[in-house]
Amino acid sequence: MDIKKVLEYQKMDSELFKLEKQLRESENRKSASQMQEKAKQAQERSTQLEQKAGALLKEIETVRGQYSIQEKKMNEVFAKDIEKMRKEEVEAMLTLKDKLAQNLNILDKNLTKLAENVNAVLAEFNKTVKLYNMAKEKYTETKTAYDKEVSQLEPKKQELALKLSSMAKTVDAKLMEQYAKRRKDNIFPVLVPLQEQSCGGCHVELPISMISKLKEEGVLSCEHCHRIIYSN
């Protein structure tokens, strides 16, 4: 098997790999991805807060309705002429008045608590909207910068890809298939030499049986790092 041609292929492919890695590890790309996720989370949280605020406002309306009913009953009690009532009726009225006053006090506290909750939700909502706007602005900024990086490197990538496509035709088809599969999984370099008794990629020592097989067949797949080992 002619290893020389595939090694020449790999040498040129290393240039393409570096460009791909440069874009993959771009700080602008990472930042854009992070900002996109932050914007998504902020949007989801703002929706939750809107729903929560809506539920609280409905609850406030319900409590206000209950308050109005109790207040109306209290007004009816105060409107009665005590002088025309028997002692038992006055005592019952006073008991009712105390109960109504207690209910109104509880409802008033509930309204105050609900109002505080609404204000807290609105404050968090406003904070979340600001976070969303900041994330979107930062995303646009870093995405634009990343797109510029891509546009600068893309012509070189295409040029290399075209040359590699032509070179691939001169490489053993079976070996090229193995190479392409590993390259797709971002294993690089794909081909590594046998270094003494070890894989030239992960440096794991190979058993004698595998070394013998390597010398017979010319190449061998490393069971540890999955690179293709070749014998010098």
Side-chain angles (χ1 to χ4, degrees), residues 213-230:
K213 184 179 179 181
L214 171 60
K215 293 190 181 296
E216 289 175 8
E217 299 182 4
V219 294
L220 180 74
S221 178
C222 176
E223 294 180 351
H224 187 260
C225 69
H226 306 296
R227 288 180 169 83
I228 300 173
I229 306 170
Y230 66 91

Side-chain angles (χ1 to χ4, degrees), residues 52-108:
K52 188 174 181 179
L56 286 170
L57 290 173
K58 285 183 180 179
E59 193 173 350
I60 286 175
E61 287 303 311
T62 299
V63 175
R64 279 178 176 170
Q66 294 171 347
Y67 190 95
S68 295
I69 292 171
Q70 298 297 309
E71 190 176 38
K72 183 180 179 182
K73 288 181 179 179
M74 180 67 88
N75 290 333
E76 289 173 354
V77 169
F78 282 123
K80 291 182 178 181
D81 189 351
I82 298 178
E83 293 180 359
K84 294 181 180 181
M85 298 172 65
R86 298 191 308 274
K87 181 182 178 181
E88 295 81 6
E89 291 176 326
V90 171
E91 289 176 350
M93 184 195 71
L94 291 174
T95 300
L96 177 60
K97 181 180 76 66
D98 290 342
K99 181 64 177 176
L100 290 171
Q102 184 180 4
N103 290 345
L104 285 170
N105 185 50
I106 292 172
L107 290 169
D108 187 59

